[in-house]
Structures are given as C-alpha cells and as structure tokens.
Amino acid sequence: MKRACPTSPCPLQVLEFRAYRLTAGGLTRLTAQLPQLASLSCHGLDTSLDAATASCFAACPSLKELHLGMESELPEAAMQQLRDVAGDLSMKFRWTDKLTGLLRTAKFYLQARLVRLDLGCVRLAKDPTSSLLEPLAALTALSDLRMSVYSNGDATLTLQLSELSALSNLQVLHLTKKHAYFPEQRRMAESSIAVPFSSQSAIRLAAGCKKLRALRLCLGRNDVAAEGLAELRHFSNLRSLYVSAEPFGLPSQPVPLDLLHLPRGLTSLELRNVDVTTPPAMLAAAADPVLQQAGSVAGAGVRAEQTHAANTATDVLGQLACFRLESCRLRTPQLQALSRGLHNLQQLKLSHVAGVSDEGISSLSRLTGLLELSVLGPHNKALSQNSLAALAPIRGLRYLSWQSDDLTALGPAVAAYSHFTTLRLLSLSCTPATLQYACGAEGQIMFQSMLPYCNLDLIS
C-alpha cells in the first residue's frame, strides 16, 4: 500500500474555518496544497489580508466561492489581488471605520465579484449633506448586505434606504442602528443617525429590490413610520421579515401595524415594539372556509370586503412557520383569532407582550404543529401557569420557555407540565431553591422522571 506524499496536491474541494485562527502563512501554504479547492471559507483570519497574502488565491484556479471574515477593512493592494479570484467573493468585517474608502475600492476592483458583504459595526462620521448609501448602490452584484451603524457626531446623518433600490440582485438586507457613546454628556444614547422608513422609501426599495427575500430593520422609534410599515406589502418575494422600532430608553408608544398589510407568503415574522392593530374579525377570517369560498359560491350573502379580507389573511398568515413578538401589544381576542389562522406555525414567542392572558394562551391549543413555545410575561397579573393545562393537544412540543409571576415567586405547578412528554428543553423562571420549596427536596428528580428526555433550565 502506497502512502501519499505529504507534498502532493489534495483533492479536497470544500474547506471551512470558523473557530480557528488562521495565520497569513498558514493560508498561503493551504492554498498551495489545495489547487482543486472550489469553496473556501475563512472566518478566523488573525490579521487583515495584505497584498502578498491575498495573491495566494491565484493558486486555486477552480475556486468558485471565497468567504473571508476579518477584523477590519482591506487595504487597496489586497483588493486588487482579489480581483483575480475566479468565483464569487464574500467579505465580513467585525468593524468598519473607513466606509467610503472601502466601498470605492470595492467598486473599482470587485464590482462584478462581490456578492455578499457584511460590514459589521460601521462608525459614520461625515458631512450630513452628503450621500452615505450611494457608494453601496454601485456594488450591483450584491445579493446579501448587512451592517450596523452608529454615530456620536453633533449633526444628524441621514441614511436614505431608497438609495439601495439600485441593487436589483439583493436578496438579504440587514440594517441595524445602534447606541453610541457621547463623551460630552457622558452617556449612551441613540446614535445621531436618521434612517426614515417612510411610505416613499418602502415603495422605492420594493420596486428596485424585487428579489428581496429577507429584510431585517432594527431602527429607532422615530425612524419607523406607520405609513412605511403599511407599504411592506409591495415586497412580493419576501419570506422573512424582522422589524424593530427601538425606543432607545425614551418613553414612546409602539408603532401601529396592521398584519394584513404585510407581504403575502411570509414564513418568518418577528416584531419588536409594535402595536398590532388588525381587528380580530379580520384575523379570524383566515380560518373561516365560508369567507374564503364566498367569492365562488353563487348567492352567498357575504360582503365583498369580508371575502377580500379572508383571502388576504390566508395569504399573509397561512404560511407562517415562525412568529415572534417582543415588547409588542397584542390583545387577547387578536391572539385567539391568530390561533385559528396560523395553521403551519412551528415556533411562537411572546416576550413582554402587553395584552397576553391565560385566556389567550389557552387558545393556542389549536396550534397542534407547534414545536417551540416561549412565553415571557413578568409583572403580568393576567398570566399564570394555569393556562398550560389547556395546551395538552400540542403533542410534538420540543422546547418550552415560561416566565410568569406565580412561577417566579411560588415555583412550578407540576401538574401543568406533566403532559409535555416530548419536551427536550424546559426553561423556567424560578431558582432551584424555589423549585425545592414548591416540589420538595426531590423536585428536580421528579421532573426528570416525569419528562425523561428533557433538560431542565432554571435561574442560577
């Protein structure tokens, strides 16, 4: 049996480094010994690439995908070397301090190659009258764009989302506005950046980015307008949506949103600091076969607007597999109506949601396909463990997280959890001492015998 020569080329085609610090010298030797490499992903480079190191990728002529994860932006000489990479290029940075220079260099050398760009945490410090997103719009091959922005300048900078409408190939867009430290006031506060999500910007962005499938907007309460949320329906191919209207420590009302104004065909929906205003009757229409078929039944005595609402509710909510609400407002009749229309729901999270009660939670028993349920309701007197008994029809639940005042203060009511025999993880808002107070010294052993395949997570 012949032993392969250690210097002979290896037929390996896909290689990924994540939790490993790869040096420049190691990367050079690696590419020299893997000429047949088709996909290379390095997310642990110990330093920014220089021109000499970036030239090593020329040793892999079959490279179709190159993913680079670094601390900060690349020098121009390294960008020039990456231009010779045959395949698609993805770049991810932990932070970006010189955004304009980076984007201009990327446009000059990598405009046709760069398909995914994660700028990490971007510090913006620029003339407030100039355009900030226009250089990004020149990278027309981008299909995935992610960035978090902050600024502590005296003047407010404005980011116009409509400028990204030139990215016709964009499929994923994540934009987050972060806190910033203001040294003169010696405090953390909302960044001096405005990202107005108005009706006009939403319509223009949807018209230009017709391929967009995942949209994540974490902005300030003053950035997100109810009129802009009402135009989300124009994103016809959207499947995943996350909207957060962060108050940044200031008292403010949640942004009103009608769920029927959302795009049709969504499979994942996450909302934060939003007031759901959809009438319960409209939400329940998604589960009413009479309303859904009324348009084709001769002589049906149902108003046309009711039929339209039923069809819209079915198209918007019927495909949802993941629904998460945090610091939102949702009334009990609305939750009861949603439980009738979310036929495909597998993950549900209700965290600090005003309006949630035992009556609403009990109605979730209709969601028989639910795999994950998280209900966090501290200081909510209308919520208790009593509603868990009604969820016995959910036979396939794998993950349950529960927080209520009665659980935190008095410990778990064992009978409320006895029917969740398929659980793999149970997270409760009580300490081991509280569990022992409620169930005796053998409380944890009792839970383990009752739920043999489940890990019990308590507050340490």
Side-chain angles (χ1 to χ4, degrees), residues 389-404:
L391 303 184
I394 306 178
R395 299 291 185 182
L397 200 64
R398 295 290 187 270
Y399 172 83
L400 174 62
S401 179
W402 188 270
Q403 180 181 12
S404 59

Side-chain angles (χ1 to χ4, degrees), residues 76 83 103-111 139:
E76 181 176 355
R83 180 177 56 181
L103 296 179
R104 286 176 179 171
T105 306
K107 174 188 175 184
F108 187 77
Y109 293 110
L110 306 173
Q111 183 175 12
L139 301 174

Side-chain angles (χ1 to χ4, degrees), residues 61-121:
S62 302
L63 203 58
K64 297 292 192 301
E65 296 181 355
L66 176 59
H67 309 271
L68 298 175
M70 294 154 288
E71 294 289 328
S72 58
E73 60 265 22
L74 292 173
E76 181 176 355
M79 289 272 200
Q80 186 175 1
Q81 293 294 333
L82 291 176
R83 180 177 56 181
D84 299 329
V85 176
D88 294 335
L89 179 62
S90 303
M91 290 195 298
K92 179 179 180 180
F93 308 105
R94 288 190 62 185
W95 54 272
T96 303
D97 198 33
K98 300 176 181 178
L99 178 63
T100 304
L102 171 68
L103 296 179
R104 286 176 179 171
T105 306
K107 174 188 175 184
F108 187 77
Y109 293 110
L110 306 173
Q111 183 175 12
R113 309 274 185 184
L114 193 58
V115 295
R116 285 176 287 274
L117 179 61
D118 187 344
L119 294 168
C121 194

Side-chain angles (χ1 to χ4, degrees), residues 184-414:
E184 295 182 357
Q185 293 85 15
R186 296 183 179 180
R187 64 185 180 91
M188 296 289 293
E190 181 178 0
S191 291
S192 53
I193 301 175
V195 192
F197 190 69
S198 60
S199 58
Q200 182 180 2
S201 62
I203 292 174
R204 289 188 60 186
L205 187 64
C209 304
K210 296 181 179 179
K211 298 180 181 180
L212 200 64
R213 297 183 64 84
L215 177 62
R216 183 181 181 92
L217 296 175
C218 305
L219 307 176
R221 172 61 181 87
N222 296 326
D223 299 318
V224 181
E227 296 79 9
L229 297 182
E231 303 301 335
L232 285 170
R233 63 181 181 273
H234 294 289
F235 292 90
S236 57
N237 288 315
L238 207 62
R239 295 297 175 264
S240 176
L241 176 63
Y242 179 100
V243 176
S244 174
E246 181 64 43
F248 287 102
L250 299 176
S252 64
Q253 294 296 322
V255 185
L257 170 65
D258 186 346
L259 294 181
L260 300 188
H261 290 163
L262 295 176
R264 302 186 178 192
L266 281 177
T267 58
S268 177
L269 176 62
E270 299 182 51
L271 302 173
R272 178 179 169 86
N273 296 307
V274 168
D275 181 10
V276 178
T277 60
T278 315
M282 296 298 183
L283 293 173
D288 194 334
V290 175
L291 291 179
Q292 294 174 19
Q293 300 173 7
S296 59
V297 177
V302 183
R303 296 193 304 271
E305 56 269 22
Q306 290 179 310
T307 305
H308 175 72
N311 295 332
T312 303
T314 302
D315 294 339
V316 172
L317 305 174
Q319 301 301 319
L320 272 183
C322 175
F323 187 35
R324 295 188 174 101
L325 297 179
E326 184 175 354
S327 301
C328 292
R329 188 176 295 164
L330 182 71
R331 292 84 179 163
T332 293
Q334 292 173 319
L335 182 57
Q336 292 173 327
L338 282 171
S339 67
R340 301 188 190 100
L342 300 177
H343 309 293
N344 296 305
L345 198 65
Q346 297 180 359
Q347 302 175 26
L348 176 63
K349 180 179 181 180
L350 303 172
S351 176
H352 300 80
V353 175
V356 171
S357 64
D358 284 346
E359 187 179 0
I361 296 298
S362 299
S363 68
L364 300 180
S365 60
R366 303 184 184 97
L367 305 176
T368 54
L370 208 60
L371 300 177
E372 299 181 13
L373 175 62
S374 178
V375 179
L376 309 178
H379 314 301
N380 185 349
K381 302 303 181 183
L383 181 66
S384 68
Q385 301 173 85
N386 297 332
S387 56
L388 287 170
L391 303 184
I394 306 178
R395 299 291 185 182
L397 200 64
R398 295 290 187 270
Y399 172 83
L400 174 62
S401 179
W402 188 270
Q403 180 181 12
S404 59
D405 287 353
D406 65 321
L407 171 61
T408 305
L410 304 176
V414 178

